[in-house]
Amino acid sequence: MSKTLRTGAEVLVDTIHQQGVEYIFGYPGGAAIPIFDALVDSPIKLILTRHEQGATHMADGFARASGKAGVVLVTSGPGATNTITGILTAHMDSSPMVVITGQQTTGNLGLDTFQEADVSGISYPVVKHSYLVKDARDIPRIAREAFYLAQSGRPGPVLIDMPKDVSSAMIEPSTGDEFHLPGYKIPQEGDSDLIERAAEMLSRARRPLFLVGHGAVISGAEKAVTFLAEKLQIPVTNTLLGKGCFPESHSLSLGMLGMHGTAYANKAVLDCDLIMSIGSRWDDRITGKIEEFCPAALKIHVDIDPSEINKTIVVDVPIVGDARLVIEAIAAIAKRGDTSDWIAQIDRWKRQFPLKYKKEGKVKAQHAIDEIYRLTEGKAIVTADVGQHQMWAAQFYKTDSRFHWITSGGAGTMGFGFPAALGAQLARPDKTVIAIVGDGGFQMTQSELATAVVNKIPVKVMIINNNYLGMVRQWQSLFYENRLSGVDLEGNPNFVKLAEAYGCKAFRIRRSADVRRILQAALDYSDGPCVIDVEVEKEDNVYPMIPAGAPYHQMILEAPKKKLAKPVGST
Ligand SMILES: Cc1ncc(C[n+]2csc(CCOP(=O)(O)OP(=O)(O)O)c2C)c(N)n1
């Protein structure tokens, strides 16, 4: 055998390294040992997680903080199926990820052999693409295609299933020839006639509104959107994942809209005469009852994915293209209309219906989040888990820059926030990274405390601890006559002792008067990760709220006095 030959696994690792990969998040097993073996001699750093789901969320957090694909490596069977939740999470939010799964040997496929699972098949509905590698000579091409597909156009997760005989086969080293993907075309500039129409409509509108989504963040459209909004004096609202495209501290910003959006953003949606979605897919959290969503407003939709056009909301002007390029083109020709009355009206709503909370009594979640926003001057990267704390974080931790807000929007995956923070911190060692999590969600992936401690990843984990699965309790309390079912988290551990058991620094906040001082101490701590257990008011609810599937005019601003109908949409 020639000395120059290398294993398929070594060639895979070399090709990945050539893509600029610094970290692989993984968990080993028999079918993946050849690839773990190849990592021993590679400059790529392996982060051993405590569960495969944690690995996927770390890779996702890395991707969302850097814009580069996060990489996961796991074994076959249960190792691979444990990644499915994380793959779904990345898929729903268009996050670039490459997931490499070990697999049984090719001759054993289909025979129900040990730890065999048809992972490329299982993953198909939730990936951008899935590969099952059958010939080791295809490895460099497939690896390069996988990164290209994951990171280009509308990003997403790509899976590579690697049978053990393929990763062990000896092949000529290569990091890949040119590849051709003739069916894969990425829209760039939008149609110029439609861009002209959009520009004219924007100039004529008296009550126009921009809705920015994750697509605008991904495309790097923040400068173009800010320029256009300021030039035309058009207010901007953002989706949960659109935080960071347009500064939420800007006077033209309305913050988040939709189910738990600000009252003023929601009122503006009800009243606007034109709405332009920039990289937002008119998600159901945004539209509420589709038939009653902005019925009188003209609608423009800018999206890189043609399958999003007219999927739920039928629009007047669909522009398929890259959000940044399309907005730059519109900005070059659009003229300012008269929006002064509209802006004055919005400013009145801002004064009349601000986001608010009380500081007396038990610690309010909003107070703790507002305080950490002030202490960090809004400059930290925040990852939020899923539940009430997520919505309060979205409301009170204003985001001004791209890649500074990370949360599971489309899938709403509990357990995402903490491991995503670890990935984000590795991507951005220069930044303060804060995970805002609930006591429920944290317990789904808390074993990654070991990963954080061993690797000295200095994230701050703020547990908004209400001893409840708070968001579900809120629904039961508002719409199911407070018949609480399966939401009491009796049996919660002492989170301070739990963290300390992992060798992690921990703080606890019990009184409103201590919030600022203890948060400052946690921010000053720099010798590794720390946990802050914030014991908050147990039965507080998130407002404003538009019940799922309801129209905007049914927005609830504060605790209702009468019984509410059960919502038609799901949590
Ligand atoms: C994996 C998963 N299981 C269940 C749910 C449904 N769910 C949405 S929010 C929520 C409660 C979250 O509780 P907690 O983490 O304590 O946060 P809180 O709402 O109290 O802030 C649940 C169970 C989910 N989103 N994800």
Side-chain angles (χ1 to χ4, degrees):
M1 190 180 290
S2 153
K3 270 201 185 136
T4 59
L5 295 184
R6 287 171 73 70
T7 66
E10 287 166 341
V11 171
L12 174 72
V13 168
D14 287 350
T15 314
I16 290 174
H17 183 237
Q18 264 213 346
Q19 298 293 313
V21 171
E22 276 175 273
Y23 293 102
I24 289 184
F25 303 92
Y27 203 96
I33 291 180
I35 311 172
F36 278 83
D37 181 69
L39 280 176
V40 173
D41 298 322
S42 163
I44 299 177
K45 186 159 179 353
L46 171 68
I47 302 290
L48 171 66
T49 64
R50 291 303 182 269
H51 190 288
E52 290 87 351
Q53 183 182 348
T56 56
H57 297 330
M58 281 180 217
D60 195 341
F62 181 94
R64 297 193 205 202
S66 65
K68 294 189 276 187
V71 185
V72 177
L73 171 62
V74 298
T75 192
S76 62
T81 56
N82 272 348
T83 65
I84 296 296
T85 299
I87 295 176
L88 168 78
T89 307
H91 179 65
M92 290 290 271
D93 291 349
S94 310
S95 185
M97 193 151 92
V98 174
V99 180
I100 300 156
T101 51
Q103 179 56 285
Q104 259 289 356
T105 52
T106 42
N108 275 343
L109 292 181
L111 301 178
D112 295 335
T113 43
F114 182 65
Q115 291 193 331
E116 183 200 349
D118 175 9
V119 175
S120 52
I122 291 170
S123 67
Y124 264 128
V126 292
V127 288
K128 189 164 171 185
H129 196 55
S130 241
Y131 293 93
L132 169 60
V133 190
K134 293 199 179 131
D135 184 332
R137 287 167 301 181
D138 290 336
I139 288 174
R141 173 187 55 81
I142 287 177
R144 292 177 65 229
E145 280 180 14
F147 276 85
Y148 176 67
L149 288 171
Q151 296 176 143
S152 60
R154 180 177 185 169
V158 177
L159 185 134
I160 308 175
D161 202 20
M162 286 279 289
K164 195 172 182 180
D165 54 322
V166 174
S167 57
S168 308
M170 302 306 291
I171 52 171
E172 292 284 343
S174 143
T175 45
D177 305 322
E178 283 307 303
F179 55 81
H180 301 285
L181 298 167
Y184 183 67
K185 301 247 178 330
I186 303 169
Q188 299 288 335
E189 284 90 9
D191 180 283
S192 55
D193 289 345
L194 294 173
I195 286 175
E196 240 170 73
R197 260 176 68 195
E200 279 165 26
M201 283 160 64
L202 287 170
S203 306
R204 272 202 304 272
R206 290 290 167 268
R207 299 188 306 282
L209 185 64
F210 288 162
L211 160 59
V212 292
H214 201 201
V217 175
I218 293 168
S219 82
E222 62 277 12
K223 279 204 187 91
V225 169
T226 306
F227 176 78
L228 184 62
E230 287 177 346
K231 178 178 176 191
L232 271 57
Q233 285 298 295
I234 293 182
V236 184
T237 182
N238 52 264
T239 65
L240 176 68
L241 295 188
K243 277 168 78 73
C245 173
F246 184 76
E248 287 183 296
S249 59
H250 194 291
S251 60
L252 284 171
S253 172
L254 298 169
M256 182 172 74
L257 85 164
M259 182 177 278
H260 291 295
T262 64
Y264 33 94
N266 290 345
K267 283 180 178 294
V269 165
L270 260 178
D271 230 34
C272 64
D273 64 0
L274 182 152
I275 183 163
M276 176 158 88
S277 157
I278 308 169
S280 148
R281 60 187 168 89
W282 312 105
D283 168 78
D284 54 287
R285 277 342 191 213
I286 295 304
T287 61
K289 189 173 182 188
I290 287 181
E291 304 76 39
E292 294 184 39
F293 178 73
C294 298
L298 291 167
K299 297 179 189 78
I300 303 171
H301 188 182
V302 181
D303 207 298
I304 199 162
D305 183 350
S307 73
E308 289 298 344
I309 302 293
N310 294 342
K311 188 176 85 178
T312 52
I313 295 289
V314 177
V315 299
D316 301 280
V317 180
I319 307 176
V320 175
D322 175 83
R324 181 177 63 79
L325 296 176
V326 171
I327 298 304
E328 280 172 357
I330 293 177
I333 53 172
K335 295 192 180 63
R336 181 175 170 176
D338 181 5
T339 59
S340 49
D341 289 350
W342 177 229
I343 288 176
Q345 170 64 70
I346 285 172
D347 286 344
R348 277 196 295 280
W349 283 329
K350 282 185 178 175
R351 285 194 298 276
Q352 248 177 309
F353 306 105
L355 289 168
K356 56 179 186 229
Y357 62 88
K358 294 200 178 93
K359 278 194 188 163
E360 71 244 24
K362 278 220 82 158
V363 180
K364 301 289 184 296
Q366 303 94 310
H367 177 194
I369 295 164
D370 195 17
E371 201 62 75
I372 206 147
Y373 170 68
R374 285 163 204 277
L375 289 171
T376 53
E377 297 170 341
K379 296 202 172 88
I381 293 178
V382 172
T383 71
D385 206 72
V386 172
Q388 291 184 306
H389 61 280
Q390 176 191 35
M391 293 299 120
W392 282 317
Q395 291 176 340
F396 287 91
Y397 203 104
K398 293 196 185 100
T399 310
D400 280 354
S401 350
R402 184 183 189 218
F403 297 158
H404 278 61
W405 168 258
I406 296 171
T407 194
S408 165
T413 304
M414 284 172 70
F416 172 83
F418 169 45
L422 301 182
Q425 183 77 82
L426 290 173
R428 292 299 305 271
D430 55 317
K431 300 288 298 187
T432 298
V433 177
I434 303 166
I436 300 180
V437 301
D439 45 322
F442 179 60
Q443 289 184 74
M444 290 195 172
T445 45
Q446 68 187 16
S447 56
E448 302 304 343
L449 277 170
T451 316
V453 169
V454 168
N455 293 287
K456 284 194 174 340
I457 306 175
V459 296
K460 323 282 176 198
V461 188
M462 189 164 145
I463 306 175
I464 301 296
N465 183 358
N466 53 12
N467 243 90
Y468 270 127
L469 294 171
M471 188 55 99
V472 181
R473 184 205 54 73
Q474 170 164 345
W475 281 54
Q476 292 175 348
S477 141
L478 290 176
F479 310 113
Y480 290 81
E481 292 147 45
N482 206 29
R483 286 157 54 89
L484 301 192
S485 178
V487 291
D488 190 336
L489 286 181
E490 185 189 4
N492 264 353
N494 175 328
F495 288 110
V496 168
K497 282 194 181 163
L498 177 91
E500 285 169 355
Y502 279 99
C504 178
K505 176 81 178 163
F507 301 85
R508 173 172 287 126
I509 301 178
R510 283 210 164 108
R511 301 181 322 144
S512 298
D514 295 335
V515 169
R516 192 179 176 83
R517 180 179 55 80
I518 297 178
L519 286 181
Q520 185 62 64
L523 287 170
D524 291 342
Y525 181 75
S526 58
D527 203 21
C530 71
V531 165
I532 313 140
D533 180 17
V534 192
E535 291 185 0
V536 298
E537 176 75 54
K538 287 183 69 167
E539 291 176 353
D540 208 356
N541 289 340
V542 185
Y543 297 110
M545 177 174 194
I546 301 173
Y552 267 66
H553 64 81
Q554 287 182 16
M555 173 170 61
I556 310 163
L557 285 174
E558 54 191 29
K561 305 222 167 26
K562 58 178 183 24
K563 205 181 119 191
L564 299 166
K566 290 189 177 66
V568 284
S570 74
T571 43

